[in-house]
PDB file of all heavy atoms in Angstrom:
ATOM      1  N   GLN I  32     134.939 100.346 172.055  1.00  0.00           N
ATOM      2  CA  GLN I  32     134.747  99.555 170.846  1.00  0.00           C
ATOM      3  C   GLN I  32     134.172  98.194 171.210  1.00  0.00           C
ATOM      4  O   GLN I  32     134.175  97.798 172.357  1.00  0.00           O
ATOM      5  CB  GLN I  32     136.065  99.406 170.098  1.00  0.00           C
ATOM      6  CG  GLN I  32     137.166  98.753 170.920  1.00  0.00           C
ATOM      7  CD  GLN I  32     138.469  98.631 170.149  1.00  0.00           C
ATOM      8  OE1 GLN I  32     138.450  98.641 168.941  1.00  0.00           O
ATOM      9  NE2 GLN I  32     139.563  98.507 170.857  1.00  0.00           N
ATOM     10  N   LYS I  33     133.674  97.554 170.188  1.00  0.00           N
ATOM     11  CA  LYS I  33     133.054  96.255 170.420  1.00  0.00           C
ATOM     12  C   LYS I  33     134.115  95.229 170.811  1.00  0.00           C
ATOM     13  O   LYS I  33     135.278  95.330 170.436  1.00  0.00           O
ATOM     14  CB  LYS I  33     132.340  95.774 169.153  1.00  0.00           C
ATOM     15  CG  LYS I  33     131.160  96.613 168.795  1.00  0.00           C
ATOM     16  CD  LYS I  33     130.211  95.861 167.879  1.00  0.00           C
ATOM     17  CE  LYS I  33     130.877  95.468 166.591  1.00  0.00           C
ATOM     18  NZ  LYS I  33     129.964  94.711 165.726  1.00  0.00           N
ATOM     19  N   ARG I  34     133.660  94.250 171.550  1.00  0.00           N
ATOM     20  CA  ARG I  34     134.579  93.189 171.967  1.00  0.00           C
ATOM     21  C   ARG I  34     135.115  92.431 170.769  1.00  0.00           C
ATOM     22  O   ARG I  34     136.261  91.997 170.756  1.00  0.00           O
ATOM     23  CB  ARG I  34     133.848  92.218 172.896  1.00  0.00           C
ATOM     24  CG  ARG I  34     133.697  92.790 174.287  1.00  0.00           C
ATOM     25  CD  ARG I  34     133.582  91.692 175.294  1.00  0.00           C
ATOM     26  NE  ARG I  34     132.207  91.552 175.742  1.00  0.00           N
ATOM     27  CZ  ARG I  34     131.863  91.257 176.982  1.00  0.00           C
ATOM     28  NH1 ARG I  34     132.785  91.080 177.891  1.00  0.00           N
ATOM     29  NH2 ARG I  34     130.626  91.120 177.325  1.00  0.00           N
ATOM     30  N   SER I  35     134.259  92.298 169.755  1.00  0.00           N
ATOM     31  CA  SER I  35     134.705  91.559 168.573  1.00  0.00           C
ATOM     32  C   SER I  35     135.899  92.250 167.922  1.00  0.00           C
ATOM     33  O   SER I  35     136.783  91.585 167.394  1.00  0.00           O
ATOM     34  CB  SER I  35     133.557  91.420 167.574  1.00  0.00           C
ATOM     35  OG  SER I  35     133.096  92.695 167.183  1.00  0.00           O
ATOM     36  N   ASP I  36     135.946  93.590 167.989  1.00  0.00           N
ATOM     37  CA  ASP I  36     137.083  94.322 167.432  1.00  0.00           C
ATOM     38  C   ASP I  36     138.349  94.022 168.215  1.00  0.00           C
ATOM     39  O   ASP I  36     139.405  93.756 167.641  1.00  0.00           O
ATOM     40  CB  ASP I  36     136.813  95.830 167.481  1.00  0.00           C
ATOM     41  CG  ASP I  36     135.803  96.242 166.416  1.00  0.00           C
ATOM     42  OD1 ASP I  36     135.568  95.452 165.482  1.00  0.00           O
ATOM     43  OD2 ASP I  36     135.257  97.342 166.536  1.00  0.00           O
ATOM     44  N   ILE I  37     138.209  94.061 169.534  1.00  0.00           N
ATOM     45  CA  ILE I  37     139.364  93.776 170.390  1.00  0.00           C
ATOM     46  C   ILE I  37     139.866  92.367 170.116  1.00  0.00           C
ATOM     47  O   ILE I  37     141.064  92.138 169.947  1.00  0.00           O
ATOM     48  CB  ILE I  37     138.973  93.915 171.882  1.00  0.00           C
ATOM     49  CG1 ILE I  37     138.460  95.334 172.155  1.00  0.00           C
ATOM     50  CG2 ILE I  37     140.147  93.576 172.775  1.00  0.00           C
ATOM     51  CD1 ILE I  37     137.798  95.492 173.501  1.00  0.00           C
ATOM     52  N   ILE I  38     138.924  91.437 170.050  1.00  0.00           N
ATOM     53  CA  ILE I  38     139.288  90.044 169.808  1.00  0.00           C
ATOM     54  C   ILE I  38     139.967  89.883 168.458  1.00  0.00           C
ATOM     55  O   ILE I  38     140.970  89.175 168.336  1.00  0.00           O
ATOM     56  CB  ILE I  38     138.034  89.150 169.912  1.00  0.00           C
ATOM     57  CG1 ILE I  38     137.562  89.096 171.365  1.00  0.00           C
ATOM     58  CG2 ILE I  38     138.318  87.756 169.382  1.00  0.00           C
ATOM     59  CD1 ILE I  38     136.200  88.493 171.545  1.00  0.00           C
ATOM     60  N   ALA I  39     139.424  90.575 167.440  1.00  0.00           N
ATOM     61  CA  ALA I  39     140.028  90.490 166.107  1.00  0.00           C
ATOM     62  C   ALA I  39     141.487  90.931 166.169  1.00  0.00           C
ATOM     63  O   ALA I  39     142.371  90.260 165.615  1.00  0.00           O
ATOM     64  CB  ALA I  39     139.250  91.354 165.126  1.00  0.00           C
ATOM     65  N   ASN I  40     141.750  92.023 166.864  1.00  0.00           N
ATOM     66  CA  ASN I  40     143.122  92.508 166.970  1.00  0.00           C
ATOM     67  C   ASN I  40     144.016  91.519 167.709  1.00  0.00           C
ATOM     68  O   ASN I  40     145.169  91.301 167.318  1.00  0.00           O
ATOM     69  CB  ASN I  40     143.149  93.865 167.688  1.00  0.00           C
ATOM     70  CG  ASN I  40     142.535  94.958 166.835  1.00  0.00           C
ATOM     71  OD1 ASN I  40     142.507  94.858 165.605  1.00  0.00           O
ATOM     72  ND2 ASN I  40     142.029  95.993 167.479  1.00  0.00           N
ATOM     73  N   GLN I  41     143.461  90.920 168.752  1.00  0.00           N
ATOM     74  CA  GLN I  41     144.236  89.955 169.521  1.00  0.00           C
ATOM     75  C   GLN I  41     144.587  88.738 168.676  1.00  0.00           C
ATOM     76  O   GLN I  41     145.727  88.264 168.694  1.00  0.00           O
ATOM     77  CB  GLN I  41     143.420  89.501 170.736  1.00  0.00           C
ATOM     78  CG  GLN I  41     143.041  90.652 171.648  1.00  0.00           C
ATOM     79  CD  GLN I  41     143.549  90.463 173.064  1.00  0.00           C
ATOM     80  OE1 GLN I  41     144.465  89.678 173.300  1.00  0.00           O
ATOM     81  NE2 GLN I  41     142.967  91.188 173.999  1.00  0.00           N
ATOM     82  N   ILE I  42     143.589  88.241 167.947  1.00  0.00           N
ATOM     83  CA  ILE I  42     143.842  87.071 167.097  1.00  0.00           C
ATOM     84  C   ILE I  42     144.876  87.429 166.034  1.00  0.00           C
ATOM     85  O   ILE I  42     145.799  86.660 165.771  1.00  0.00           O
ATOM     86  CB  ILE I  42     142.536  86.582 166.444  1.00  0.00           C
ATOM     87  CG1 ILE I  42     141.558  86.075 167.497  1.00  0.00           C
ATOM     88  CG2 ILE I  42     142.824  85.469 165.434  1.00  0.00           C
ATOM     89  CD1 ILE I  42     140.196  85.695 166.955  1.00  0.00           C
ATOM     90  N   GLU I  43     144.723  88.616 165.470  1.00  0.00           N
ATOM     91  CA  GLU I  43     145.683  89.103 164.483  1.00  0.00           C
ATOM     92  C   GLU I  43     147.092  89.020 165.054  1.00  0.00           C
ATOM     93  O   GLU I  43     148.009  88.499 164.415  1.00  0.00           O
ATOM     94  CB  GLU I  43     145.345  90.561 164.155  1.00  0.00           C
ATOM     95  CG  GLU I  43     145.280  90.877 162.690  1.00  0.00           C
ATOM     96  CD  GLU I  43     144.900  92.329 162.480  1.00  0.00           C
ATOM     97  OE1 GLU I  43     145.591  93.231 163.003  1.00  0.00           O
ATOM     98  OE2 GLU I  43     143.890  92.564 161.797  1.00  0.00           O
ATOM     99  N   GLU I  44     147.231  89.524 166.266  1.00  0.00           N
ATOM    100  CA  GLU I  44     148.521  89.530 166.932  1.00  0.00           C
ATOM    101  C   GLU I  44     149.055  88.111 167.081  1.00  0.00           C
ATOM    102  O   GLU I  44     150.234  87.842 166.820  1.00  0.00           O
ATOM    103  CB  GLU I  44     148.356  90.203 168.304  1.00  0.00           C
ATOM    104  CG  GLU I  44     149.650  90.739 168.892  1.00  0.00           C
ATOM    105  CD  GLU I  44     150.419  91.619 167.926  1.00  0.00           C
ATOM    106  OE1 GLU I  44     149.789  92.439 167.218  1.00  0.00           O
ATOM    107  OE2 GLU I  44     151.657  91.465 167.847  1.00  0.00           O
ATOM    108  N   LEU I  45     148.176  87.216 167.470  1.00  0.00           N
ATOM    109  CA  LEU I  45     148.577  85.821 167.672  1.00  0.00           C
ATOM    110  C   LEU I  45     149.004  85.166 166.363  1.00  0.00           C
ATOM    111  O   LEU I  45     149.846  84.260 166.361  1.00  0.00           O
ATOM    112  CB  LEU I  45     147.431  85.027 168.311  1.00  0.00           C
ATOM    113  CG  LEU I  45     147.138  85.380 169.768  1.00  0.00           C
ATOM    114  CD1 LEU I  45     145.833  84.749 170.234  1.00  0.00           C
ATOM    115  CD2 LEU I  45     148.282  84.925 170.669  1.00  0.00           C
ATOM    116  N   LEU I  62     138.540  79.596 170.997  1.00  0.00           N
ATOM    117  CA  LEU I  62     138.842  81.024 171.086  1.00  0.00           C
ATOM    118  C   LEU I  62     137.884  81.714 172.060  1.00  0.00           C
ATOM    119  O   LEU I  62     138.301  82.573 172.851  1.00  0.00           O
ATOM    120  CB  LEU I  62     138.746  81.670 169.704  1.00  0.00           C
ATOM    121  CG  LEU I  62     139.865  81.281 168.741  1.00  0.00           C
ATOM    122  CD1 LEU I  62     139.526  81.724 167.325  1.00  0.00           C
ATOM    123  CD2 LEU I  62     141.183  81.904 169.179  1.00  0.00           C
ATOM    124  N   ALA I  63     136.621  81.330 171.982  1.00  0.00           N
ATOM    125  CA  ALA I  63     135.624  81.910 172.888  1.00  0.00           C
ATOM    126  C   ALA I  63     136.054  81.657 174.332  1.00  0.00           C
ATOM    127  O   ALA I  63     135.992  82.545 175.186  1.00  0.00           O
ATOM    128  CB  ALA I  63     134.261  81.307 172.614  1.00  0.00           C
ATOM    129  N   PHE I  66     139.144  83.831 175.327  1.00  0.00           N
ATOM    130  CA  PHE I  66     138.849  85.241 175.575  1.00  0.00           C
ATOM    131  C   PHE I  66     137.681  85.422 176.545  1.00  0.00           C
ATOM    132  O   PHE I  66     137.252  86.555 176.789  1.00  0.00           O
ATOM    133  CB  PHE I  66     138.545  85.957 174.257  1.00  0.00           C
ATOM    134  CG  PHE I  66     139.729  86.012 173.332  1.00  0.00           C
ATOM    135  CD1 PHE I  66     139.727  85.335 172.121  1.00  0.00           C
ATOM    136  CD2 PHE I  66     140.857  86.748 173.681  1.00  0.00           C
ATOM    137  CE1 PHE I  66     140.821  85.384 171.272  1.00  0.00           C
ATOM    138  CE2 PHE I  66     141.953  86.807 172.838  1.00  0.00           C
ATOM    139  CZ  PHE I  66     141.939  86.120 171.638  1.00  0.00           C
ATOM    140  N   ALA I  67     137.161  84.322 177.040  1.00  0.00           N
ATOM    141  CA  ALA I  67     136.072  84.368 178.017  1.00  0.00           C
ATOM    142  C   ALA I  67     134.858  85.113 177.502  1.00  0.00           C
ATOM    143  O   ALA I  67     134.294  85.980 178.175  1.00  0.00           O
ATOM    144  CB  ALA I  67     136.571  84.984 179.328  1.00  0.00           C
ATOM    145  N   VAL I  68     134.490  84.802 176.276  1.00  0.00           N
ATOM    146  CA  VAL I  68     133.256  85.355 175.709  1.00  0.00           C
ATOM    147  C   VAL I  68     132.504  84.218 175.017  1.00  0.00           C
ATOM    148  O   VAL I  68     132.973  83.081 174.994  1.00  0.00           O
ATOM    149  CB  VAL I  68     133.553  86.462 174.677  1.00  0.00           C
ATOM    150  CG1 VAL I  68     134.155  87.681 175.342  1.00  0.00           C
ATOM    151  CG2 VAL I  68     134.451  85.931 173.574  1.00  0.00           C
ATOM    152  N   SER I  69     131.374  84.542 174.452  1.00  0.00           N
ATOM    153  CA  SER I  69     130.624  83.515 173.725  1.00  0.00           C
ATOM    154  C   SER I  69     131.146  83.424 172.296  1.00  0.00           C
ATOM    155  O   SER I  69     132.037  84.157 171.897  1.00  0.00           O
ATOM    156  CB  SER I  69     129.144  83.862 173.716  1.00  0.00           C
ATOM    157  OG  SER I  69     128.880  84.849 172.758  1.00  0.00           O
ATOM    158  N   THR I  71     129.675  84.256 169.601  1.00  0.00           N
ATOM    159  CA  THR I  71     129.220  85.349 168.733  1.00  0.00           C
ATOM    160  C   THR I  71     130.304  86.376 168.425  1.00  0.00           C
ATOM    161  O   THR I  71     130.604  86.608 167.247  1.00  0.00           O
ATOM    162  CB  THR I  71     127.976  86.018 169.328  1.00  0.00           C
ATOM    163  OG1 THR I  71     127.028  85.008 169.674  1.00  0.00           O
ATOM    164  CG2 THR I  71     127.366  86.982 168.344  1.00  0.00           C
ATOM    165  N   PRO I  72     130.889  87.021 169.424  1.00  0.00           N
ATOM    166  CA  PRO I  72     131.936  88.005 169.087  1.00  0.00           C
ATOM    167  C   PRO I  72     133.136  87.374 168.401  1.00  0.00           C
ATOM    168  O   PRO I  72     133.767  88.014 167.554  1.00  0.00           O
ATOM    169  CB  PRO I  72     132.319  88.608 170.436  1.00  0.00           C
ATOM    170  CG  PRO I  72     131.670  87.796 171.467  1.00  0.00           C
ATOM    171  CD  PRO I  72     130.606  86.982 170.861  1.00  0.00           C
ATOM    172  N   VAL I  73     133.436  86.131 168.753  1.00  0.00           N
ATOM    173  CA  VAL I  73     134.544  85.442 168.086  1.00  0.00           C
ATOM    174  C   VAL I  73     134.251  85.292 166.598  1.00  0.00           C
ATOM    175  O   VAL I  73     135.097  85.576 165.747  1.00  0.00           O
ATOM    176  CB  VAL I  73     134.799  84.061 168.710  1.00  0.00           C
ATOM    177  CG1 VAL I  73     135.804  83.270 167.885  1.00  0.00           C
ATOM    178  CG2 VAL I  73     135.294  84.214 170.141  1.00  0.00           C
ATOM    179  N   ARG I  74     133.042  84.879 166.303  1.00  0.00           N
ATOM    180  CA  ARG I  74     132.649  84.710 164.906  1.00  0.00           C
ATOM    181  C   ARG I  74     132.770  86.022 164.145  1.00  0.00           C
ATOM    182  O   ARG I  74     133.259  86.063 163.007  1.00  0.00           O
ATOM    183  CB  ARG I  74     131.212  84.203 164.814  1.00  0.00           C
ATOM    184  CG  ARG I  74     131.087  82.708 165.011  1.00  0.00           C
ATOM    185  CD  ARG I  74     129.640  82.267 164.902  1.00  0.00           C
ATOM    186  NE  ARG I  74     129.088  82.478 163.574  1.00  0.00           N
ATOM    187  CZ  ARG I  74     129.296  81.664 162.546  1.00  0.00           C
ATOM    188  NH1 ARG I  74     130.047  80.604 162.708  1.00  0.00           N
ATOM    189  NH2 ARG I  74     128.773  81.920 161.370  1.00  0.00           N
ATOM    190  N   GLU I  75     132.329  87.108 164.773  1.00  0.00           N
ATOM    191  CA  GLU I  75     132.417  88.416 164.122  1.00  0.00           C
ATOM    192  C   GLU I  75     133.863  88.798 163.861  1.00  0.00           C
ATOM    193  O   GLU I  75     134.198  89.330 162.805  1.00  0.00           O
ATOM    194  CB  GLU I  75     131.719  89.478 164.982  1.00  0.00           C
ATOM    195  CG  GLU I  75     130.233  89.244 165.095  1.00  0.00           C
ATOM    196  CD  GLU I  75     129.500  90.398 165.757  1.00  0.00           C
ATOM    197  OE1 GLU I  75     130.166  91.317 166.281  1.00  0.00           O
ATOM    198  OE2 GLU I  75     128.258  90.376 165.753  1.00  0.00           O
ATOM    199  N   ALA I  76     134.707  88.495 164.835  1.00  0.00           N
ATOM    200  CA  ALA I  76     136.133  88.788 164.664  1.00  0.00           C
ATOM    201  C   ALA I  76     136.701  87.987 163.496  1.00  0.00           C
ATOM    202  O   ALA I  76     137.427  88.524 162.647  1.00  0.00           O
ATOM    203  CB  ALA I  76     136.887  88.472 165.946  1.00  0.00           C
ATOM    204  N   LEU I  77     136.351  86.725 163.435  1.00  0.00           N
ATOM    205  CA  LEU I  77     136.870  85.862 162.375  1.00  0.00           C
ATOM    206  C   LEU I  77     136.385  86.338 161.005  1.00  0.00           C
ATOM    207  O   LEU I  77     137.134  86.297 160.024  1.00  0.00           O
ATOM    208  CB  LEU I  77     136.438  84.412 162.621  1.00  0.00           C
ATOM    209  CG  LEU I  77     137.080  83.745 163.831  1.00  0.00           C
ATOM    210  CD1 LEU I  77     136.549  82.328 164.005  1.00  0.00           C
ATOM    211  CD2 LEU I  77     138.606  83.720 163.692  1.00  0.00           C
ATOM    212  N   ARG I  79     135.829  89.353 160.174  1.00  0.00           N
ATOM    213  CA  ARG I  79     136.649  90.519 159.828  1.00  0.00           C
ATOM    214  C   ARG I  79     138.005  90.095 159.292  1.00  0.00           C
ATOM    215  O   ARG I  79     138.488  90.613 158.292  1.00  0.00           O
ATOM    216  CB  ARG I  79     136.817  91.415 161.057  1.00  0.00           C
ATOM    217  CG  ARG I  79     137.261  92.813 160.689  1.00  0.00           C
ATOM    218  CD  ARG I  79     137.399  93.683 161.905  1.00  0.00           C
ATOM    219  NE  ARG I  79     138.784  93.936 162.237  1.00  0.00           N
ATOM    220  CZ  ARG I  79     139.162  94.647 163.281  1.00  0.00           C
ATOM    221  NH1 ARG I  79     138.274  95.171 164.097  1.00  0.00           N
ATOM    222  NH2 ARG I  79     140.441  94.849 163.513  1.00  0.00           N
ATOM    223  N   LEU I  80     138.611  89.126 159.970  1.00  0.00           N
ATOM    224  CA  LEU I  80     139.928  88.665 159.548  1.00  0.00           C
ATOM    225  C   LEU I  80     139.846  88.019 158.164  1.00  0.00           C
ATOM    226  O   LEU I  80     140.754  88.163 157.348  1.00  0.00           O
ATOM    227  CB  LEU I  80     140.495  87.683 160.556  1.00  0.00           C
ATOM    228  CG  LEU I  80     140.764  88.252 161.951  1.00  0.00           C
ATOM    229  CD1 LEU I  80     141.357  87.187 162.845  1.00  0.00           C
ATOM    230  CD2 LEU I  80     141.686  89.454 161.887  1.00  0.00           C
TER     231      LEU I  80
ATOM    232  P    DT H  41     129.650  92.793 171.879  1.00  0.00           P
ATOM    233  OP1  DT H  41     130.816  93.202 172.665  1.00  0.00           O
ATOM    234  OP2  DT H  41     129.789  92.434 170.458  1.00  0.00           O
ATOM    235  O5'  DT H  41     128.928  91.593 172.628  1.00  0.00           O
ATOM    236  C5'  DT H  41     128.607  91.753 174.010  1.00  0.00           C
ATOM    237  C4'  DT H  41     127.860  90.543 174.522  1.00  0.00           C
ATOM    238  O4'  DT H  41     126.565  90.474 173.878  1.00  0.00           O
ATOM    239  C3'  DT H  41     128.538  89.196 174.265  1.00  0.00           C
ATOM    240  O3'  DT H  41     128.720  88.578 175.521  1.00  0.00           O
ATOM    241  C2'  DT H  41     127.536  88.431 173.374  1.00  0.00           C
ATOM    242  C1'  DT H  41     126.224  89.126 173.677  1.00  0.00           C
ATOM    243  N1   DT H  41     125.217  89.098 172.598  1.00  0.00           N
ATOM    244  C2   DT H  41     123.993  88.551 172.862  1.00  0.00           C
ATOM    245  O2   DT H  41     123.699  88.080 173.941  1.00  0.00           O
ATOM    246  N3   DT H  41     123.108  88.582 171.809  1.00  0.00           N
ATOM    247  C4   DT H  41     123.332  89.089 170.548  1.00  0.00           C
ATOM    248  O4   DT H  41     122.461  89.063 169.676  1.00  0.00           O
ATOM    249  C5   DT H  41     124.633  89.652 170.342  1.00  0.00           C
ATOM    250  C7   DT H  41     124.988  90.252 169.003  1.00  0.00           C
ATOM    251  C6   DT H  41     125.504  89.631 171.359  1.00  0.00           C
ATOM    252  P    DA H  42     129.440  87.181 175.630  1.00  0.00           P
ATOM    253  OP1  DA H  42     130.257  87.173 176.859  1.00  0.00           O
ATOM    254  OP2  DA H  42     130.065  86.851 174.339  1.00  0.00           O
ATOM    255  O5'  DA H  42     128.202  86.215 175.872  1.00  0.00           O
ATOM    256  C5'  DA H  42     127.341  86.496 176.971  1.00  0.00           C
ATOM    257  C4'  DA H  42     126.163  85.534 176.991  1.00  0.00           C
ATOM    258  O4'  DA H  42     125.321  85.802 175.850  1.00  0.00           O
ATOM    259  C3'  DA H  42     126.529  84.045 176.920  1.00  0.00           C
ATOM    260  O3'  DA H  42     125.809  83.351 177.931  1.00  0.00           O
ATOM    261  C2'  DA H  42     126.111  83.630 175.513  1.00  0.00           C
ATOM    262  C1'  DA H  42     124.955  84.580 175.237  1.00  0.00           C
ATOM    263  N9   DA H  42     124.746  84.885 173.822  1.00  0.00           N
ATOM    264  C8   DA H  42     125.650  85.446 172.957  1.00  0.00           C
ATOM    265  N7   DA H  42     125.184  85.628 171.740  1.00  0.00           N
ATOM    266  C5   DA H  42     123.884  85.151 171.820  1.00  0.00           C
ATOM    267  C6   DA H  42     122.861  85.066 170.862  1.00  0.00           C
ATOM    268  N6   DA H  42     122.997  85.475 169.594  1.00  0.00           N
ATOM    269  N1   DA H  42     121.678  84.529 171.255  1.00  0.00           N
ATOM    270  C2   DA H  42     121.545  84.128 172.533  1.00  0.00           C
ATOM    271  N3   DA H  42     122.436  84.160 173.519  1.00  0.00           N
ATOM    272  C4   DA H  42     123.593  84.692 173.084  1.00  0.00           C
TER     273       DA H  42
END
Side-chain angles (χ1 to χ4, degrees):
Chain I
Q32 58 181 337
K33 293 200 299 178
R34 283 206 256 217
S35 59
D36 286 344
I37 301 168
I38 291 168
N40 291 335
Q41 301 238 19
I42 295 175
E43 229 178 56
E44 201 51 41
L45 290 169
L62 289 168
F66 295 114
V68 293
S69 78
T71 311
V73 171
R74 278 180 65 80
E75 295 189 351
L77 291 178
R79 198 179 107 182
L80 296 181

